[in-house]
Amino acid sequence: MMNFTEIQEQARQEWDSLQSGSVPVIAVGTATCGRSAGALGVVQAFEEEMSEKGVEAHIVEVGCIGPCYAEPLVNITKPGRATVAYKNVTKKMVTEIVDNYLKGDDPLPHYTLGSFGEGTVENIPRILDTPSFKPQERRVFRNCGVIDPTNINHYIANEGYNGLSKALTMTQSEVVEEMKKSGLRGRGGGGFPAGRKWEAGLNAEGDQKYVVCNADEGDPGAFMDRAVIEGDPHSVLEGMIIAGYAIGADTGYIYVRAEYPLAIRRLERAIEQAHEKGFLGNNILGTDFSFDINIFPGAGAFVCGESTALTLSIEGKRGMPRVAPRPRTTEQGLYDKPTLLNNVKTFSSAPMIITRGAEWFASIGTEKSTGTAIFALTGKVNNCGLIEVPMGITLREIIYDIGGGVADGGRFKAVQTGGPSGGCLPESLLDTPIDYDSLDEAGSIMGSGGMVVMDEKTCMVDVARYFLDFTEIESCGQCVPCRLGTKQLLDILKDICAGKGKKGDIDLLIELSQSVHGGSVCGLGQTAANPVLTTIRYFRDEFEAHINDKCCPAKVCKPLISFRILEDKCAGCTLCAKSCPVNAISGEKKEVHVIDQGLCVQCGVCMEKCPKKFSAVECLSPKLPVAPKETTEVVA
Amino acid sequence: MSKVTLTIDGLQIPAKEGMTVLEAAQASGLYIPNLCNHPDLKPAGLCRVCVVKMDDWKIAISCKLPVKDGMVISTEDPEVQQIRKSTVELLVANHPMTCLTCEADGDCELQRVAHYVGITQENLNRYRRSVRSIPIDRSNPFFDFDHNKCILCGICVRTCDELQNINAIDYAQRGVDSIISTLANKPIAESRCESCGECVIRCPVAALAPKGAQEPMREVKSICSYCGVGCGVMLGVRGQKVVSVEGDRDNPVNKGSLCVKGRFGYRFINHPERLKTPLIKKNGTLEEASWDEALDLIAEKFSNSKGDKFAALASARITNEDNYLIQKFTRAVMGTNNIDHCARL
Amino acid sequence: MAGLATSLGSGAMTNSIAEISGASTIFAIGTNTTQAHPVLALQAKKAAREGANLIVANPKEIDLCRHATIHLQHRPGTDVALVMGMIKVIVDAGLADMEFINSRCENFDAFVDSLAEFDLASVEKITGVPGELISKAAKIFASEGPSSILYCMGITQHCHGTDNVWSLSNLALVTGNLGKASAGVNPLRGQNNVQGSCDMGALPDVYPGYQKVAKAESKKKFEAAWGVSLSDQEGLTHSEIFDDIHDGKITALYLIGENPYLSEANANHAIESMNRLDFLVVQDIFLTETAELADVVLPAASFAEKNGTFSNTERRIQRIRKAVDAPGEAKPDWQIVAAIASRMGAQGFDFEDEAQIMNEIASLTPSYGGISYERLEGGGIQWPCPTQDHPGTPTLHVEKFGTPSGKAQFMPLSFRDSAELPDDEYPFLLTTDRSLFHYHTGSMTRRVAGLEQLDSEEFLKINPKDAASLGLEDNEVVQIASRRGQTQAKTKVTKICPPGLVSMTFHFAESPTNVLTSPALDPVAKIPETKVCAVKLEKV
């Protein structure tokens, strides 16, 4: 078997010949996100066009490049030129790109997002200079969208397995020390210092220890772990192997959602390749250290992201968090053995910390939260997608610079971070820096990195209801405060949204939220009420409007809104009447139309259909009174 | 085990290392409300009703909290009261209000904690009420399983697991749909359940309740009459009828455990087909007779069959005293050792 | 009974139920414990859960196997080969407890000679169990003690049942697993007071307390106590009694609380015999199938209607207490017997109550010498309890064995086949077992509606392969015939039975299993071989 230098040499040759060869390289992002936007069709189109037209180029399928709003994304590097990134590529565009840029020399600037890498391309701005990319720092995503994730040599050529090779020359405590010095905090959301956890794993007594990677990404709207696994699976494996060495474990498990079939395939492939190269298996890189990794597909229960539920699930039991007081997972985890459990991004960060050193890692971020943070930026924002930013950046920078501001010219209302366990922060807190402690203070959490931007058309009561609906379903059901408390919170919120809110409900919600927080067994329950508490804390007036005035200021809660046709604006075009699904609109052609409030179901189609030039339909809250039905009943 | 002293609500109480705070409290006769705890089972810590405050800062679950010397526990801290009350209120808001006709009425742990935390008519309706309407599983002949009354304390699951090692039931579904279920949610009679009833007697409400149970007016300590294990039983009696059987927790053999036959197989005692008078065969049919008539006939016939023309088969079903007299009769009166019983079958 | 009495000096369970959960290894052979002794099985399951080795030896994959470390699925009737094979492994591996053997046992050398035929290859061939597994089980049993042996009718109901029992006492002796806590040889008694009725001398060869009728000194003792002269001729055993009735030698039978119509092996023979009697008295709580044959039926009180004592499988004498009045004119059995005796002019039956009878028992039975109702108020006492101040004996043979020499006897054994094995005409081996929900012939349990609902008819358990070869599906009626009789039952196709083996209970009068079973007797214990006979099956 080759030694590591030989392995590296071979890998670099392959990578260099691809990068600095004489033919263009076409990199297509074909992770799950790209695929859902049609990336595989784009790959096929390139292949067909090129063979038809006799154009020579390497097509490389890479992982997620980041900007979801621009999928499918294609990066084309012609020899000696900067890479041009094409956005929202369609099959028709492929023909044009092949004809104009591959055969010719016109990069078709209107199709591009920008350029990057060495050299320039005329008329195409440098992406990294744009406000959207400038604040970003791709570290965990270092290889995502760059390398072919199914090719281990691509990874090796880009510093891959360098960290492992180096770690194996260090003592276990030196590795742990380096992790501690880096200040890396667990990227699963809790933010517990990773080095200290590794240290506990190392110090735990036991001849059998385990390393477990938590890839049970369950927050609605969060998909960065999937992106890392699909785009750079070896970085996760390498981190786990280093961890195994550091704590003295010989077996690792990756608990990954079964709903991530591509990620699982990528991991399987990567494990196979790592075995072939001697990074996994017995006597890794010729040392006494042996380690292997198993994949365990989870069945999609949100609570299985909780460490003790996760390990029970691997054991084949029902995934329910263990009840405190209980030993730490590092003392008694999987099969009651010492277990080091970290998130995908935590493991993925380890190789670069070992390779480049703790100081390098800690050189960005804040004092207590070093390194970068990854967010899935979604909601009412112009540029949605996965972003990686240094810790300490403000919410405002993320939303307005990277995100390009609120979509459709809307007005910002709130940003929700941390998924169902997080909270909603208002405009006044937009200058809050992103780090574990500042977010916590503001009433939210870093969590797994979901970030949902909301505009003034979002009802905050409805948002709280939405998240409680999620946690109520995902509660494991074992403890009373979480099982019944989330349901009760949800029932009250549903009532408020339906106009059935009662005086005192707000105080009841607060009191119950506190009890659910204090009484629940695990983190899911303890944080379940966060969306309720923060929305009440920052948007109490909206709750009051719902309860006292039966008014939904955002005009979202259907039972509280009415639609009305303005007499002075209606031209009698009949479009609204024709599209009303319940025939609630009457009116002759060229006459003013009227909505029967008794029949209307508040679907809003009439408002949508009414031509802009008339804008004759308006939405009102509180509701218009419904005229009582005329009765002919005679009292006998 | 070394002795420790802890303080609960200002009272110094003794405990042994390894005990939980709840155990220590109970051992000293203090009541900390709880629902999912059972002395025969490992603590689960799920109902959260036994919540306490430790050393003035930490909320803890007393059934899981190990005692430590010098520990200070409060059961009446405002935060504790709030969590406890909300939790009980939530359970009540999801529980049927059919107490008067309920099997567990008067012996219901939920009633007890509700009373303790002070559920009043006023706060009864604070929360949105929502009671499940799952059809009652009546498939088992000896007990019913009413999921609507179930508070998911898991005592039945742990009994079936920890004590019986049968594992016929477990948690299934998630969130508010969580339910105690058999494999594939089949009716309990079609599951692996062995009908021992150990879960039924431990159910703190009446989610698991014996069918047609009658409260006995008195109990008689005795021994089960089925297999050779000899479990201690308490026969529950009303008038001249055995209406229930419970395991005798003081008996060293079974310590209260019983199997399906021992617990539920007692209805043969008052069965209408029991023999009530001697019967004598006349013209090929058995006819009722008086004891005098029967004894005279037997005395006459046996007197003519003494020695090895006679044999007696005693029984492994009857008492030592019965057997002793039968063998004495056979040997001393009938003059033969032709005496045996069904030990070999 | 007779087996252990010879080798150890007492036929009873050597240790206590509560000790089972303390064993490091439990060897359960010929016992379907979770079905027949459910509450005792809790102890075994608890031990297994807490890490003890549970070795189950059973031809069927019984429920207990779920908790087992090792399942030795040997062919029915090959227990001697299996256990002697295990012993040979232990002796060959140097795991025998020589100190125990030398100080407490006799006849070891002759015994070792008899091990020669039980090499693993031969044993594997006879039993069908892989030699490796036998060896593993043997080593665990020998090296991870205390090891406790549990057995039941699967061991005794064979024509070589005594050999089976001896093989087990040999196993316990060779590993020194006797006379200490959580070890021992533990026969599980099937009925509530089997132990007691044996203790009370309801046996043809012994007076109460196993005092031999053939021994002059016991004869003298009881003649003096009872004021009569007694026979020193051993009486007939259960099966022999039916043979003598059949032959016309016995003309009157007093039958109490038993239902041979269903329970007796080769039941047709028993029924025929009873029909030949001049006079049959049956005393029971229900009009059983057997009672219908009687000339006189006497109504007895049930356990809930009388006072008395039961002695359980661990020799614990416990009080039962009257809870309700007996129905109608029914009376406790002892009162009926006393009434018959008095009517026949006999002396010595005028007891006022049960406590008085116990006093007489205690005065004549050394192991019950310290028993009185007064003492039993505080809870049961395990015999031997020779004196008023003796606390009782949870573990037997701690100091010495009950044999004449005080030492345990190794019993050299050789393997013998069952009396009737499958052949071309009767190709299946039928074995019998019990249901959790019924008791014996069902005279009590089948009158409990709920139990009847849970288990209401006989099923012939049969392996899927065999069922397929006969074209049988689940729940189909099948005719089962042996050389002695035939019956019908529905099929239950299950992998619990290995191919070639079928199994039935004997609780159901509608499908009387014992018309099929073999009357071949064990020469010592006189127990019929109800666990092995050959049958043929036919779809109806």
Side-chain angles (χ1 to χ4, degrees):
Chain A
M1 197 169 259
M2 288 188 282
N3 67 30
F4 184 61
T5 321
E6 289 161 351
I7 293 171
Q8 260 183 326
E9 194 48 45
Q10 192 192 47
R12 278 193 191 124
Q13 271 173 21
E14 185 180 331
W15 176 254
D16 289 348
S17 74
L18 179 72
Q19 295 302 309
S20 48
S22 53
V23 290
V25 178
I26 304 168
V28 186
T30 58
T32 298
C33 44
R35 287 177 184 209
S36 58
L40 290 180
V42 170
V43 171
Q44 201 191 345
F46 269 110
E47 280 165 353
E48 284 168 6
E49 282 292 320
M50 280 158 43
S51 86
E52 200 177 294
K53 291 167 182 164
V55 176
E56 213 186 320
H58 290 300
I59 300 178
V60 183
E61 291 189 32
V62 298
C64 171
I65 298 166
C68 298
Y69 63 93
E71 297 277 14
L73 265 162
V74 177
N75 292 341
I76 298 183
T77 319
K78 287 176 82 169
R81 319 263 313 250
T83 303
V84 179
Y86 290 92
K87 62 181 180 183
N88 304 114
V89 178
T90 61
K91 286 186 183 179
K92 185 181 143 279
M93 283 163 67
V94 170
T95 315
E96 289 182 51
I97 293 168
V98 171
D99 287 344
N100 292 289
Y101 190 51
L102 290 181
K103 286 176 76 180
D105 205 27
D106 176 6
L108 302 171
H110 59 291
Y111 285 161
T112 68
L113 200 60
S115 71
F116 59 92
E118 282 169 40
T120 53
V121 182
E122 226 171 290
N123 294 328
I124 298 187
R126 304 280 302 173
I127 289 179
L128 299 183
D129 294 338
T130 63
S132 182
F133 284 91
K134 205 171 180 186
Q136 294 205 48
E137 177 81 32
R138 287 172 76 88
R139 287 191 166 186
V140 171
F141 281 148
R142 59 195 179 277
N143 291 321
C144 287
V146 177
I147 65 167
D148 174 358
T150 65
N151 187 334
I152 190 171
N153 280 338
H154 282 199
Y155 179 68
I156 296 169
N158 288 280
E159 277 186 18
Y161 289 106
N162 204 48
L164 172 63
S165 164
K166 187 173 168 193
L168 291 175
T169 66
M170 299 158 70
T171 64
Q172 289 173 301
S173 351
E174 280 168 357
V175 175
V176 166
E177 209 45 48
E178 200 66 26
M179 290 297 289
K180 277 172 74 181
K181 267 201 314 205
S182 74
L184 172 68
R185 290 171 71 167
R187 295 296 195 242
F192 187 81
R196 270 173 54 200
K197 208 186 225 186
W198 286 37
E199 188 174 43
L202 171 62
N203 292 338
E205 301 275 342
D207 39 11
Q208 176 68 60
K209 297 181 185 178
Y210 295 102
V211 171
V212 176
C213 174
N214 185 350
D216 191 49
E217 191 169 43
D219 279 12
F223 49 92
M224 51 284 281
D225 291 350
R226 186 188 71 200
V228 172
I229 293 174
E230 288 179 354
D232 194 15
H234 284 286
S235 68
V236 183
L237 301 189
E238 188 184 352
M240 288 177 72
I241 303 167
I242 294 172
Y245 172 75
I247 69 159
D250 65 359
T251 306
Y253 283 90
I254 303 176
Y255 190 91
V256 54
R257 296 182 67 161
E259 298 96 319
Y260 284 179
L262 182 63
I264 292 173
R265 282 208 300 279
R266 291 273 153 89
L267 284 170
E268 283 167 347
R269 180 84 185 261
I271 288 172
E272 205 177 295
Q273 292 171 341
H275 267 283
E276 282 164 16
K277 297 279 183 197
F279 300 131
L280 274 178
N282 290 331
N283 302 101
I284 291 169
L285 293 176
T287 64
D288 290 340
F289 173 59
S290 301
F291 192 76
D292 209 344
I293 293 177
N294 307 295
I295 300 170
F296 192 97
F302 179 69
V303 76
C304 284
E306 197 273 350
S307 60
T308 58
L310 187 152
T311 51
L312 283 175
S313 176
I314 294 179
E315 290 174 29
K317 297 172 184 157
R318 180 178 162 90
M320 294 201 288
R322 295 189 194 200
V323 180
R326 54 171 168 82
R328 287 189 184 283
T329 305
T330 41
E331 288 157 28
Q332 267 182 45
L334 186 58
Y335 299 110
D336 286 338
K337 303 290 181 196
T339 300
L340 174 66
L341 191 143
N342 278 139
N343 172 265
V344 170
K345 299 176 291 283
T346 313
F347 282 125
S348 179
S349 301
M352 46 181 179
I353 291 173
I354 301 300
T355 300
R356 301 192 178 193
E359 286 80 12
W360 170 82
F361 184 86
S363 65
I364 57 171
T366 66
E367 194 193 333
K368 285 186 179 165
S369 302
T370 57
T372 56
I374 293 180
F375 287 100
L377 182 61
T378 56
K380 298 287 178 60
V381 66
N382 280 315
N383 305 335
C384 58
L386 289 180
I387 61 163
E388 183 169 3
V389 289
M391 295 273 187
I393 190 172
T394 64
L395 285 165
R396 190 183 299 280
E397 285 172 278
I398 290 180
I399 295 163
Y400 284 95
D401 295 342
I402 300 174
V406 179
D408 305 327
R411 221 181 94 79
F412 175 87
K413 184 180 207 172
V415 58
Q416 209 277 353
T417 71
S421 307
C424 293
L425 305 180
E427 191 162 16
S428 60
L429 291 173
L430 274 183
D431 293 313
T432 305
I434 293 290
D435 62 68
Y436 292 97
D437 312 301
S438 307
L439 280 176
D440 195 40
E441 211 168 290
S444 186
I445 60 167
M446 187 83 111
S448 60
M451 186 177 284
V452 186
V453 177
M454 301 163 191
D455 64 7
E456 81 280 349
K457 286 178 190 160
T458 313
C459 167
M460 299 316 289
V461 186
D462 185 55
V463 166
R465 184 203 56 77
Y466 168 82
F467 280 109
L468 259 296
D469 193 41
F470 179 87
T471 34
E472 185 241 14
I473 290 166
E474 293 293 348
S475 163
C476 83
Q478 64 174 337
C479 75
V480 178
C482 176
R483 179 179 78 242
L484 298 180
T486 54
K487 181 187 157 47
Q488 187 64 228
L489 289 171
L490 177 62
D491 284 351
I492 298 171
L493 290 166
K494 276 180 176 168
D495 272 1
I496 297 175
C497 289
K500 294 179 202 157
K502 293 189 280 194
K503 233 180 158 62
D505 272 350
I506 297 178
D507 291 335
L508 191 58
L509 284 173
I510 293 171
E511 182 194 319
L512 183 55
S513 293
Q514 287 164 347
S515 296
V516 171
H517 168 77
S520 292
V521 163
C522 76
L524 171 71
Q526 286 158 9
T527 58
N530 280 358
V532 181
L533 287 174
T534 51
T535 46
I536 294 178
R537 180 162 155 196
Y538 297 120
F539 304 95
R540 192 179 175 111
D541 53 338
E542 274 193 55
F543 282 79
E544 281 166 353
H546 279 74
I547 296 167
N548 301 335
D549 311 329
K550 307 299 170 201
C551 166
C552 175
K555 302 189 178 91
V556 169
C557 298
K558 283 186 180 162
L560 301 184
I561 58 171
S562 296
F563 289 90
R564 179 170 65 180
I565 297 172
L566 299 169
E567 284 171 37
D568 54 333
K569 290 193 175 171
C570 179
C573 74
T574 74
L575 266 179
C576 60
K578 279 178 190 155
S579 49
C580 177
V582 291
N583 294 322
I585 305 178
S586 56
E588 295 300 315
K589 221 176 216 181
K590 297 194 176 163
E591 280 176 22
V592 170
H593 282 52
V594 178
I595 299 175
D596 181 338
Q597 296 298 335
L599 294 176
C600 176
V601 291
Q602 293 86 34
C603 68
V605 169
C606 50
M607 196 171 186
E608 234 171 74
K609 293 287 175 183
C610 182
K612 276 259 152 34
K613 57 182 175 185
F614 304 134
S615 293
V617 182
E618 72 167 348
C619 180
L620 302 166
S621 183
K623 234 174 150 48
L624 288 171
V626 178
K629 284 240 163 48
E630 281 176 37
T631 53
T632 51
E633 202 178 330
V634 180
V635 181
Chain B
M1 268 187 284
S2 59
K3 287 182 178 172
V4 299
T5 304
L6 64 155
T7 307
I8 299 183
D9 293 342
L11 283 171
Q12 291 224 326
I13 65 159
K16 283 183 205 142
E17 213 173 303
M19 278 178 135
T20 65
V21 169
L22 181 61
E23 280 169 340
Q26 286 172 338
S28 291
L30 308 181
Y31 178 63
I32 298 178
N34 65 87
L35 285 171
C36 70
N37 191 64
H38 192 282
D40 297 343
L41 303 168
K42 288 189 198 128
L46 297 180
C47 74
R48 319 304 278 178
V49 174
C50 71
V51 61
V52 293
K53 190 164 253 185
M54 182 184 101
D55 297 338
D56 212 21
W57 68 278
K58 193 179 159 83
I59 289 291
I61 298 303
S62 63
C63 72
K64 295 278 283 184
L65 183 66
V67 294
K68 260 192 219 143
D69 199 34
M71 190 180 238
V72 177
I73 296 293
S74 164
T75 74
E76 285 295 291
D77 171 272
E79 197 181 348
V80 166
Q81 288 197 42
Q82 185 190 323
I83 292 170
R84 186 167 66 201
K85 191 164 181 189
S86 297
T87 305
V88 175
E89 277 183 286
L90 285 169
L91 283 166
V92 171
N94 288 270
H95 199 81
M97 288 288 163
T98 49
C99 289
L100 260 184
T101 54
C102 178
E103 182 59 41
D105 188 32
D107 189 25
C108 171
E109 288 299 318
L110 185 59
Q111 281 178 344
R112 190 177 179 196
V113 297
H115 185 71
Y116 191 87
V117 303
I119 300 285
T120 61
Q121 192 61 44
E122 200 175 48
N123 58 25
L124 197 56
N125 296 319
R126 227 155 65 99
Y127 286 142
R128 272 49 168 183
R129 278 190 66 73
S130 148
V131 179
R132 306 212 257 197
S133 50
I134 300 169
I136 298 171
D137 181 353
R138 300 189 193 276
S139 63
N140 190 288
F142 301 117
F143 58 87
D144 291 334
F145 196 169
D146 184 350
H147 295 283
N148 309 309
K149 288 180 184 168
C150 178
I151 57 170
L152 286 150
C153 65
I155 285 177
C156 53
V157 173
R158 284 178 283 140
T159 299
C160 201
D161 174 36
E162 288 174 33
L163 301 181
Q164 302 303 113
N165 283 282
I166 293 170
N167 301 91
I169 44 175
D170 202 348
Y171 285 86
Q173 311 293 341
R174 296 209 161 254
V176 282
D177 294 330
S178 295
I179 189 172
I180 305 299
S181 169
T182 59
L183 183 65
N185 204 15
K186 283 188 179 165
I188 195 135
E190 291 169 34
S191 74
R192 164 180 275 173
C193 169
E194 294 183 357
S195 303
C196 65
E198 292 289 331
C199 56
V200 179
I201 58 163
R202 287 182 177 80
C203 181
V205 288
L208 284 158
K211 271 196 165 87
Q214 282 188 301
E215 279 291 304
M217 65 87 72
R218 64 192 165 95
E219 284 194 320
V220 178
K221 202 179 177 93
S222 195
I223 300 297
C224 175
S225 74
Y226 283 110
C227 77
V229 174
C231 296
V233 293
M234 305 299 290
L235 300 176
V237 180
R238 261 197 197 201
Q240 287 300 328
K241 208 173 162 193
V242 175
V243 295
S244 68
V245 175
E246 279 196 41
D248 177 0
R249 291 183 72 93
D250 296 331
N251 187 294
V253 174
N254 59 317
K255 300 184 182 79
S257 295
L258 289 177
C259 75
V260 56
K261 293 190 290 286
R263 187 182 310 283
F264 297 118
Y266 59 85
R267 297 217 168 135
F268 72 90
I269 298 169
N270 295 93
H271 198 281
E273 284 170 25
R274 281 289 300 278
L275 289 168
K276 294 178 192 76
T277 65
L279 306 171
I280 295 177
K281 195 163 273 172
K282 291 175 184 162
N283 304 321
T285 52
L286 288 165
E287 292 178 9
E288 289 191 0
S290 72
W291 273 108
D292 267 342
E293 205 181 336
L295 289 173
D296 282 342
L297 178 59
I298 293 168
E300 179 205 327
K301 292 280 186 181
F302 280 3
S303 298
N304 295 332
S305 315
K306 285 192 178 178
D308 292 342
K309 284 193 285 182
F310 177 84
L313 287 173
S315 175
R317 316 284 297 119
I318 57 180
T319 65
N320 289 324
E321 293 75 3
D322 294 333
N323 272 296
Y324 176 80
L325 276 207
I326 290 161
Q327 64 87 33
K328 182 176 179 182
F329 170 75
T330 306
R331 291 185 162 118
V333 181
M334 298 305 293
T336 178
N337 284 313
N338 284 345
I339 165 100
D340 203 354
H341 68 286
C342 51
R344 300 172 175 89
L345 298 172
Chain C
M1 268 292 308
L4 287 187
T6 309
S7 59
L8 306 180
S10 164
M13 203 164 146
T14 60
N15 293 58
S16 303
I17 294 169
E19 292 175 35
I20 297 170
S21 64
S24 294
T25 299
I26 296 169
F27 182 39
I29 180 166
T31 159
N32 189 354
T33 329
T34 57
Q35 306 296 298
H37 299 93
V39 175
L40 185 142
L42 296 178
Q43 296 276 332
K45 292 193 276 186
K46 182 175 175 226
R49 182 190 185 97
E50 287 167 6
N53 308 293
L54 175 59
I55 301 167
V56 175
N58 203 297
K60 288 183 284 184
E61 197 182 326
I62 54 172
D63 177 63
L64 199 59
C65 295
R66 283 206 291 139
H67 310 275
T69 324
I70 294 178
H71 178 203
L72 304 169
Q73 196 166 9
H74 60 310
R75 295 193 187 105
T78 64
D79 308 83
V80 165
L82 179 74
V83 177
M84 290 293 275
M86 287 172 66
I87 297 172
K88 185 166 165 53
V89 169
I90 291 166
V91 172
D92 290 351
L95 294 170
D97 185 343
M98 290 315 294
E99 200 189 309
F100 183 86
I101 293 167
N102 290 333
S103 62
R104 308 237 10 220
C105 309
E106 286 173 348
N107 205 26
F108 184 60
D109 293 341
F111 168 70
V112 169
D113 292 343
S114 82
L115 287 174
E117 67 172 281
F118 297 105
D119 61 281
L120 268 187
S122 311
V123 169
E124 177 170 332
K125 215 170 140 202
I126 297 170
T127 60
V129 183
E132 215 174 289
L133 207 58
I134 297 173
S135 167
K136 190 176 164 195
K139 286 173 181 166
I140 290 174
F141 187 92
S143 52
E144 295 180 32
S147 300
S148 173
I149 299 170
L150 307 179
Y151 73 86
C152 195
M153 299 303 190
I155 281 293
T156 53
Q157 289 178 342
H158 291 276
C159 70
H160 46 260
T162 303
D163 287 357
N164 289 347
V165 171
W166 280 336
S167 71
L168 295 174
S169 67
N170 287 338
L171 176 63
L173 290 172
V174 86
T175 54
N177 274 302
L178 276 165
K180 61 183 184 188
S182 297
V185 183
N186 299 297
L188 309 181
R189 301 298 184 199
Q191 307 185 48
N192 57 325
N193 201 30
V194 183
Q195 189 62 53
S197 36
C198 293
D199 298 347
M200 289 304 103
L203 294 168
D205 57 338
V206 291
Y207 291 114
Y210 308 98
Q211 303 170 77
K212 300 271 185 199
V213 295
K215 246 182 166 177
E217 68 184 81
S218 15
K219 181 172 180 270
K220 227 169 105 187
K221 173 177 174 182
F222 282 91
E223 282 180 337
W226 292 345
V228 290
S229 70
L230 295 166
S231 164
D232 57 3
Q233 286 285 304
E234 283 186 10
L236 299 175
T237 64
H238 203 278
S239 326
E240 290 166 343
I241 286 171
F242 282 99
D243 289 343
D244 266 29
I245 296 171
H246 201 264
D247 296 347
K249 292 181 196 160
I250 291 175
T251 57
L253 180 65
Y254 184 13
L255 186 67
I256 299 148
E258 202 197 323
N259 191 10
Y261 196 103
L262 289 181
S263 62
E264 191 73 3
N266 193 9
N268 287 336
H269 173 77
I271 296 163
E272 220 179 290
S273 301
M274 288 189 285
N275 280 325
R276 292 185 182 191
L277 281 165
D278 285 344
F279 191 57
L280 172 63
V281 178
V282 173
Q283 185 168 310
D284 212 318
I285 62 172
F286 288 108
L287 192 66
T288 60
E289 292 80 2
T290 305
E292 291 186 32
L293 305 176
D295 298 292
V296 179
V297 178
L298 300 175
S302 78
F303 83 107
E305 296 142 8
K306 62 185 179 187
N307 291 305
T309 56
F310 288 157
S311 298
N312 77 349
T313 188
E314 53 163 8
R315 299 169 278 105
R316 187 182 299 274
I317 305 151
Q318 307 191 95
R319 277 279 275 119
I320 66 163
R321 291 176 182 83
K322 180 175 168 173
V324 291
D325 288 339
E329 297 168 27
K331 293 179 185 184
D333 295 277
W334 70 267
Q335 288 183 11
I336 301 174
V337 178
I340 295 172
S342 304
R343 189 107 359 168
M344 289 173 73
Q347 302 295 307
F349 288 86
D350 46 352
F351 296 97
E352 266 173 34
D353 58 17
E354 302 80 1
Q356 265 190 0
I357 304 177
M358 181 51 82
N359 291 342
E360 183 171 316
I361 294 170
S363 71
L364 291 169
T365 314
S367 53
Y368 279 60
I371 303 296
S372 67
Y373 274 29
E374 208 179 354
R375 282 192 73 188
L376 293 178
E377 275 307 307
I381 297 171
Q382 284 174 280
W383 66 255
C385 174
T387 56
Q388 281 287 340
D389 52 4
H390 191 285
T393 312
T395 309
L396 293 182
H397 317 310
V398 174
E399 301 290 332
K400 63 184 183 86
F401 287 94
T403 52
S405 66
K407 292 196 171 186
Q409 301 295 312
F410 273 104
M411 306 301 286
L413 296 172
S414 55
F415 174 70
R416 286 186 290 132
D417 269 326
S418 301
E420 184 184 76
L421 286 171
D423 52 26
D424 289 347
E425 200 185 348
Y426 295 94
F428 290 97
L429 194 157
L430 170 74
T431 190
T432 58
D433 61 6
R434 293 166 204 244
S435 156
L436 170 67
F437 302 104
H438 286 296
Y439 186 79
H440 234 244
T441 64
S443 57
M444 288 151 63
T445 50
R446 293 204 66 198
R447 286 185 171 87
V448 177
L451 294 172
E452 187 66 0
Q453 182 188 325
L454 289 169
D455 191 5
S456 58
E457 59 185 318
E458 183 64 63
F459 282 94
L460 175 89
K461 296 186 263 300
I462 182 170
N463 184 274
K465 275 188 193 161
D466 292 337
S469 74
L470 294 168
L472 286 168
E473 307 258 324
D474 218 18
N475 240 2
E476 275 191 301
V477 180
V478 64
Q479 171 97 7
I480 308 126
S482 77
R483 289 187 170 83
R484 292 156 295 278
Q486 57 188 44
T487 185
Q488 293 188 345
K490 282 190 186 161
T491 53
K492 182 173 200 136
V493 179
T494 166
K495 284 184 183 161
I496 287 172
C497 286
L501 181 75
V502 293
S503 178
M504 295 171 79
T505 74
F506 61 98
H507 305 305
F508 302 94
E510 305 88 322
S511 304
T513 306
N514 277 319
V515 302
L516 305 167
T517 50
S518 161
L521 288 187
D522 176 86
V524 181
K526 307 290 163 89
I527 299 177
E529 186 157 60
T530 54
K531 292 299 179 201
V532 179
C533 77
V535 294
K536 61 182 175 187
L537 308 173
E538 216 174 296
K539 190 171 167 175
V540 175

